[in-house]
Amino acid sequence: MQRTTPPPPHETADGRAPLPFPLRVAAIDVGSNAFRFVAAEFGDPSHYVELASERVPVRLGRSAFLTGELSPSAIDRTVEGFRRFRDEIGRLGIEHVRAVATSAVRESRNGAELVRRVGEEAGIRIDLISGTDEARLVWMSVK
């Protein structure tokens, strides 16, 4: 499926030269009820083809918002999902990955454990983003 969307960042974070096209990227959104994986290839800054997508319903928020902690089983399911994504990222030859986590992970007492385990066991870094950044990213994707 081909889509038109606002361009992804096409320069590296440190301002180096623009990245070459076609460009394969992956995004992972760790939300309170599920996390989503999308891999795409951009032919240019404003057109992409979706290569893969998956939604995993782990319900991190269920225990996080009731007890203040992520349940061990939800953490385990999240790590396992990220391992599958790592395999898919490798299969597709993707070098640029961004994973973000929102309120359930950010606000739980053991959110750092989930971030650490995903990094160690799946090799993917998760960035905890603020509520403001979360709203901005949602607005940009809807726009």
Side-chain angles (χ1 to χ4, degrees):
M1 158 181 359
Q2 178 140 358
R3 297 183 184 190
T4 301
T5 187
H10 59 280
E11 289 188 0
T12 59
D14 60 6
R16 291 180 291 169
L19 298 171
F21 290 96
L23 177 64
R24 287 188 172 205
V25 299
I28 305 167
D29 171 25
V30 182
S32 298
N33 288 312
F35 56 96
R36 292 170 183 82
F37 166 78
V38 176
E41 181 174 273
F42 281 82
D44 62 50
S46 59
H47 296 91
Y48 72 91
V49 174
E50 188 174 293
L51 303 172
S53 68
E54 185 176 348
R55 180 182 183 275
V56 179
V58 292
R59 299 187 47 90
L60 291 172
R62 182 176 186 184
S63 64
F65 300 135
L66 290 175
T67 68
E69 291 190 348
L70 303 170
S71 73
S73 63
I75 292 174
D76 290 344
R77 289 191 310 271
T78 301
V79 171
E80 181 55 36
F82 268 80
R83 284 187 193 127
R84 284 197 324 271
F85 296 163
R86 172 83 288 169
D87 292 345
E88 186 73 357
I89 287 164
R91 186 184 71 73
L92 293 170
I94 293 171
E95 296 180 21
H96 305 283
V97 178
R98 174 115 195 253
V100 299
T102 57
S103 62
V105 177
R106 182 179 64 238
E107 296 173 13
S108 65
R109 287 187 294 272
N110 61 345
E113 177 187 347
L114 180 139
V115 171
R116 179 191 57 75
R117 284 195 52 201
V118 167
E120 289 176 2
E121 298 177 36
I124 298 174
R125 187 185 88 209
I126 298 176
D127 296 322
L128 296 177
I129 60 171
S130 69
T132 301
D133 283 342
E134 181 180 354
R136 181 182 55 80
L137 291 170
V138 168
W139 181 82
M140 286 174 54
S141 69
V142 170
K143 182 181 160 192

Short mmCIF file of all heavy atoms in Angstrom, two decimals, residues 89-117:
data_model
loop_
_atom_site.label_atom_id
_atom_site.label_comp_id
_atom_site.label_asym_id
_atom_site.label_seq_id
_atom_site.Cartn_x
_atom_site.Cartn_y
_atom_site.Cartn_z
N ILE A 89 12.89 -6.58 11.70
CA ILE A 89 13.74 -5.45 11.33
C ILE A 89 14.98 -5.97 10.60
O ILE A 89 15.37 -5.42 9.56
CB ILE A 89 14.12 -4.63 12.59
CG1 ILE A 89 12.90 -3.84 13.06
CG2 ILE A 89 15.31 -3.73 12.34
CD1 ILE A 89 13.01 -3.30 14.49
N GLY A 90 15.58 -7.03 11.11
CA GLY A 90 16.75 -7.62 10.45
C GLY A 90 16.40 -8.20 9.10
O GLY A 90 17.12 -8.02 8.12
N ARG A 91 15.28 -8.92 9.02
CA ARG A 91 14.85 -9.54 7.76
C ARG A 91 14.62 -8.49 6.68
O ARG A 91 14.95 -8.70 5.51
CB ARG A 91 13.57 -10.35 7.99
CG ARG A 91 13.12 -11.16 6.78
CD ARG A 91 11.80 -11.86 7.04
NE ARG A 91 10.67 -10.95 7.10
CZ ARG A 91 10.11 -10.33 6.04
NH1 ARG A 91 10.60 -10.51 4.83
NH2 ARG A 91 9.08 -9.54 6.20
N LEU A 92 14.07 -7.33 7.08
CA LEU A 92 13.77 -6.27 6.12
C LEU A 92 14.96 -5.35 5.84
O LEU A 92 14.87 -4.47 5.00
CB LEU A 92 12.59 -5.42 6.63
CG LEU A 92 11.25 -6.14 6.70
CD1 LEU A 92 10.22 -5.30 7.45
CD2 LEU A 92 10.75 -6.48 5.29
N GLY A 93 16.06 -5.54 6.54
CA GLY A 93 17.24 -4.71 6.30
C GLY A 93 17.08 -3.28 6.78
O GLY A 93 17.62 -2.35 6.16
N ILE A 94 16.36 -3.08 7.86
CA ILE A 94 16.09 -1.73 8.38
C ILE A 94 17.22 -1.34 9.33
O ILE A 94 17.60 -2.10 10.22
CB ILE A 94 14.74 -1.70 9.09
CG1 ILE A 94 13.63 -1.90 8.06
CG2 ILE A 94 14.56 -0.40 9.88
CD1 ILE A 94 12.26 -2.09 8.66
N GLU A 95 17.74 -0.13 9.13
CA GLU A 95 18.81 0.38 9.99
C GLU A 95 18.34 1.48 10.92
O GLU A 95 19.02 1.80 11.89
CB GLU A 95 19.96 0.90 9.14
CG GLU A 95 20.65 -0.17 8.33
CD GLU A 95 21.79 0.38 7.50
OE1 GLU A 95 22.31 1.46 7.82
OE2 GLU A 95 22.14 -0.30 6.52
N HIS A 96 17.21 2.10 10.65
CA HIS A 96 16.73 3.24 11.43
C HIS A 96 15.43 2.86 12.15
O HIS A 96 14.41 2.63 11.50
CB HIS A 96 16.51 4.46 10.53
CG HIS A 96 17.74 4.81 9.74
ND1 HIS A 96 18.80 5.46 10.30
CD2 HIS A 96 18.08 4.55 8.46
CE1 HIS A 96 19.74 5.61 9.40
NE2 HIS A 96 19.34 5.06 8.27
N VAL A 97 15.51 2.79 13.49
CA VAL A 97 14.39 2.36 14.32
C VAL A 97 14.17 3.39 15.41
O VAL A 97 15.12 3.87 16.03
CB VAL A 97 14.68 0.98 14.97
CG1 VAL A 97 13.53 0.56 15.87
CG2 VAL A 97 14.98 -0.07 13.92
N ARG A 98 12.91 3.71 15.66
CA ARG A 98 12.56 4.55 16.81
C ARG A 98 11.44 3.87 17.56
O ARG A 98 10.40 3.55 17.00
CB ARG A 98 12.12 5.95 16.37
CG ARG A 98 11.62 6.81 17.55
CD ARG A 98 12.47 8.00 17.81
NE ARG A 98 12.24 8.62 19.11
CZ ARG A 98 11.62 9.77 19.31
NH1 ARG A 98 11.15 10.45 18.30
NH2 ARG A 98 11.51 10.25 20.53
N ALA A 99 11.67 3.65 18.85
CA ALA A 99 10.65 3.08 19.73
C ALA A 99 10.39 4.09 20.84
O ALA A 99 11.34 4.62 21.43
CB ALA A 99 11.12 1.75 20.31
N VAL A 100 9.12 4.36 21.10
CA VAL A 100 8.75 5.29 22.16
C VAL A 100 7.73 4.64 23.08
O VAL A 100 6.93 3.82 22.65
CB VAL A 100 8.18 6.63 21.61
CG1 VAL A 100 9.22 7.35 20.76
CG2 VAL A 100 6.91 6.41 20.83
N ALA A 101 7.80 5.02 24.35
CA ALA A 101 6.83 4.54 25.33
C ALA A 101 6.15 5.74 25.95
O ALA A 101 6.76 6.79 26.13
CB ALA A 101 7.52 3.69 26.41
N THR A 102 4.88 5.56 26.28
CA THR A 102 4.07 6.66 26.79
C THR A 102 3.74 6.45 28.26
O THR A 102 4.51 5.84 28.99
CB THR A 102 2.81 6.81 25.91
OG1 THR A 102 2.10 5.57 25.90
CG2 THR A 102 3.19 7.19 24.48
N SER A 103 2.61 6.92 28.70
CA SER A 103 2.30 7.06 30.13
C SER A 103 2.43 5.80 30.98
O SER A 103 2.94 5.87 32.10
CB SER A 103 0.92 7.68 30.31
OG SER A 103 -0.06 6.84 29.76
N ALA A 104 1.98 4.65 30.51
CA ALA A 104 2.03 3.45 31.36
C ALA A 104 3.45 3.13 31.78
O ALA A 104 3.72 2.82 32.94
CB ALA A 104 1.40 2.27 30.65
N VAL A 105 4.38 3.21 30.85
CA VAL A 105 5.78 2.92 31.16
C VAL A 105 6.40 4.10 31.90
O VAL A 105 7.10 3.92 32.90
CB VAL A 105 6.58 2.59 29.88
CG1 VAL A 105 8.05 2.36 30.20
CG2 VAL A 105 5.98 1.38 29.17
N ARG A 106 6.13 5.29 31.42
CA ARG A 106 6.72 6.51 32.01
C ARG A 106 6.33 6.68 33.47
O ARG A 106 7.15 7.07 34.30
CB ARG A 106 6.26 7.71 31.18
CG ARG A 106 6.81 9.04 31.60
CD ARG A 106 6.32 10.18 30.70
NE ARG A 106 4.89 10.37 30.77
CZ ARG A 106 4.06 10.30 29.73
NH1 ARG A 106 4.51 10.06 28.52
NH2 ARG A 106 2.77 10.48 29.89
N GLU A 107 5.08 6.37 33.82
CA GLU A 107 4.57 6.65 35.15
C GLU A 107 4.66 5.47 36.12
O GLU A 107 4.39 5.64 37.30
CB GLU A 107 3.12 7.14 35.05
CG GLU A 107 3.03 8.46 34.30
CD GLU A 107 1.59 8.89 34.02
OE1 GLU A 107 0.66 8.31 34.61
OE2 GLU A 107 1.43 9.80 33.20
N SER A 108 5.04 4.30 35.64
CA SER A 108 5.13 3.15 36.54
C SER A 108 6.49 3.12 37.26
O SER A 108 7.50 3.56 36.73
CB SER A 108 4.91 1.85 35.77
OG SER A 108 5.94 1.67 34.84
N ARG A 109 6.47 2.59 38.47
CA ARG A 109 7.70 2.52 39.26
C ARG A 109 8.75 1.61 38.63
O ARG A 109 9.94 1.80 38.84
CB ARG A 109 7.39 2.03 40.68
CG ARG A 109 6.68 3.06 41.54
CD ARG A 109 6.54 2.61 42.98
NE ARG A 109 5.66 1.45 43.14
CZ ARG A 109 4.34 1.53 43.31
NH1 ARG A 109 3.74 2.71 43.34
NH2 ARG A 109 3.61 0.45 43.45
N ASN A 110 8.32 0.60 37.87
CA ASN A 110 9.27 -0.33 37.27
C ASN A 110 9.37 -0.20 35.75
O ASN A 110 9.81 -1.11 35.06
CB ASN A 110 8.93 -1.77 37.67
CG ASN A 110 7.56 -2.21 37.19
OD1 ASN A 110 6.73 -1.39 36.82
ND2 ASN A 110 7.32 -3.51 37.22
N GLY A 111 8.98 0.96 35.23
CA GLY A 111 9.09 1.19 33.78
C GLY A 111 10.52 1.07 33.29
O GLY A 111 10.77 0.59 32.18
N ALA A 112 11.48 1.49 34.10
CA ALA A 112 12.90 1.40 33.71
C ALA A 112 13.31 -0.06 33.50
O ALA A 112 14.17 -0.35 32.67
CB ALA A 112 13.78 2.07 34.75
N GLU A 113 12.69 -0.98 34.25
CA GLU A 113 13.00 -2.40 34.07
C GLU A 113 12.58 -2.87 32.67
O GLU A 113 13.32 -3.59 32.00
CB GLU A 113 12.29 -3.25 35.12
CG GLU A 113 12.53 -4.73 34.95
CD GLU A 113 11.72 -5.61 35.89
OE1 GLU A 113 11.13 -5.09 36.86
OE2 GLU A 113 11.66 -6.82 35.64
N LEU A 114 11.40 -2.47 32.23
CA LEU A 114 10.94 -2.83 30.90
C LEU A 114 11.90 -2.26 29.85
O LEU A 114 12.33 -2.98 28.94
CB LEU A 114 9.53 -2.33 30.64
CG LEU A 114 8.99 -2.68 29.25
CD1 LEU A 114 7.54 -3.12 29.35
CD2 LEU A 114 9.12 -1.52 28.31
N VAL A 115 12.26 -1.00 29.98
CA VAL A 115 13.18 -0.36 29.02
C VAL A 115 14.51 -1.09 29.00
O VAL A 115 15.07 -1.38 27.94
CB VAL A 115 13.35 1.14 29.36
CG1 VAL A 115 14.45 1.77 28.53
CG2 VAL A 115 12.03 1.88 29.18
N ARG A 116 15.05 -1.41 30.18
CA ARG A 116 16.33 -2.12 30.28
C ARG A 116 16.25 -3.49 29.63
O ARG A 116 17.11 -3.86 28.84
CB ARG A 116 16.73 -2.26 31.75
CG ARG A 116 18.05 -3.01 31.95
CD ARG A 116 18.31 -3.37 33.41
NE ARG A 116 17.27 -4.18 34.02
CZ ARG A 116 17.07 -5.50 33.79
NH1 ARG A 116 17.84 -6.14 32.94
NH2 ARG A 116 16.09 -6.15 34.39
N ARG A 117 15.21 -4.26 29.95
CA ARG A 117 15.10 -5.61 29.41
C ARG A 117 14.94 -5.62 27.90
O ARG A 117 15.55 -6.44 27.22
CB ARG A 117 13.93 -6.36 30.07
CG ARG A 117 14.28 -6.83 31.47
CD ARG A 117 13.32 -7.85 31.99
NE ARG A 117 13.13 -8.97 31.07
CZ ARG A 117 12.07 -9.78 31.10
NH1 ARG A 117 11.12 -9.59 32.01
NH2 ARG A 117 11.96 -10.76 30.24
#
